[in-house]
Amino acid sequence: MNCSAEPPSRSLTVYPSGKKASFTPGTPFNEVVKSIARPPHMPCGGKGRCGKCKVLFKEGAPSPTPTETAVLTETELAQGYRLACQTILDGDAVVYLHDHKIAQGEKILATGVTRAVPLNPWVTKRFARVPEPSSGDLRSDMDRVNEVLGVSPHGGNVHLEHVRSIPGILREAEFRITGVFAGPELVTIEPGDTSSECFGVAFDIGTTTLAGYLVDLNTGTQVGVASAVNPQTRVGDDVISRINYVGEHLDGLKHLQSLVVSEMNRLVARMVRQANIRPENIYESVVVGNTCMTHLLLGVDPRNLALAPYVPVFSQSLTVEAAEIGLKINNSGQVHILPNIAGYVGADTVGTILASSIHEDDSIVLAVDIGTNGEIVLGSRNLLLACSTAAGPAFEGAHITHGMRAAPGAIDRVWVENGDIRFTTVGNHRPTGICGSGLLDAIACLLEVGIIHPGGRILDSSEVPQNHARLKNRLVNGGFVLSSAEQSAHGVPIAITQRDIREVQLAKGAIAAGIRTLMEYLKVRVDDLSAVVLAGAFGNYMRKRSAIAAGLIPDVPVSKVRSVGNAAGEGAKLALISSEERRVAEEIARFVQYIELTTDPGFQDRFAESLAFGSWPGSGSS
Ligand code: FES
């Protein structure tokens, strides 16, 4: 008997495609499936915590692992559900992949509130007729180009490609050329008069979504916009999952960089089609993003961001050649990344401050961008403080029983009318789950009618007053049913469970404690706030009243709360069209004082106090 013989190979068939792959027993499911299908979305980075990578084994379900037994219900296990990130294949199997593709029609915010600034882009073009050489003018080609374009003949680096291109372009275009400048530097020349074709692209690289804006640098007008889910979400929803991925995979950093750059190139392709221009007409990209995202974009190792004392590799603004990172714009194009403030307060926060002008405000303004990390800025023109707090992905639908992103079918608005729950869904589809804004609304409603105690407990139906009979009927198995099985798209009831409420409390507690910490540093009370600015997608879609009722933000009058949409992206656009705004962005990054919450002695107490729903200390109503 040959004991070293290879074990016989087995076959995995996946539906809906019907594709097959062979494998050796003992191989992880994800390893096998990736050769024939895109592996499921893995919000927790494959740690077996979120339960969102469920797949359905129609045949050959392997024995559940201890993690699967802990995360999945008995019914799910019996039906053949397993976690793609945990399950190990041991025999022939037939699997239905859940719909893990990026949802079509997902709500991605690409617009924001901004302000008008004088047009003064870093990249400019200048047309010129160059004197031809003659026996009386023996200057070099480069000297005559520099002189006519007003470029200093001394010093500075030159791009070798630029030098090489000069003789051909001059003669091909009969000495009529256009110079392309980045600030004072001549980066390239083009044949003929191309001065009317000068474009730039601004990007906001979020952990969850990417937004791109194509701008005509001659007019400052936006001529294209496109957005997409950040494809890095395939390996995890939050920055820690991405950092872990880099640490755990040999090519992890390269892979994540290539995922984001490929998506940026797709966005560029969409935008140039909208504007009917060529990618070569784009000469610069200004990018904002959180510190981890900008590190990953440049292929810079972000792992120290996850290790105390959480130091980034770079925090200043950086300009690199677009070709160096694979961004397909003009060959001489550059990518300028706005500065970071700290490891967890990135260039996106600088962009938000720039676009919303908090740094110029005389009175105290609070700005909050709620994502998997909540970035919080508080202060005025005299002093601005910033911090970052780990809110987790609850408001993005992860770790919530029926949670989902704001894709078609997500319950996004909830209210009480005639004694019962009413809701709307994204795209008016039949409900398939609940997204962050719907979750917050539902909690605010249930707090108001007394079905959720301010401490977070869902009341037993026997404790609910008789005048709420309809709402009371929705209390089933300790959860609150928003949509019945008959009403919902998948034939299962969509409910909020006690565990969901606890997840929201953790997220809400982290945000509120971060805000309170900055308020204590600045010695301001709720009544001192002149405005509360909500940035980002969640801040845009959530109902202000619900955010206040749940105690997510201070209980200021609703009129003081304003949503500024994707202000980070608007900040990137400002820096694209105005060198002055770019300079101000540098100043903002230096001016803002970063407060590290993990070492703040009072933060944990404030966090514990902030877990309860309700009003704020220091407010008129507290
Ligand atoms: S449980 Fe598998 S990715 Fe979260």
Side-chain angles (χ1 to χ4, degrees), residues 41-53 71 83-86:
H41 178 54
M42 298 202 293
C44 72
K47 301 285 182 218
R49 286 199 294 259
C50 68
K52 296 287 178 192
C53 62
V71 171
L83 297 177
C85 70
Q86 300 294 316

Side-chain angles (χ1 to χ4, degrees), residues 308-366:
Y310 315 111
V311 176
V313 176
F314 64 92
S315 57
Q316 70 270 48
S317 61
L318 291 178
T319 302
V320 300
E321 305 291 324
E324 269 183 287
I325 62 165
L327 187 66
K328 292 179 183 156
I329 58 175
N330 187 280
N331 284 340
S332 309
Q334 297 181 335
V335 176
H336 179 80
I337 295 174
L338 291 190
N340 298 315
I341 293 170
Y344 283 92
V345 181
D348 48 356
T349 302
V350 172
T352 296
I353 296 171
L354 188 65
S356 53
S357 306
I358 308 169
H359 60 294
E360 293 175 345
D361 232 296
D362 290 321
S363 51
I364 303 290
V365 176
L366 169 69

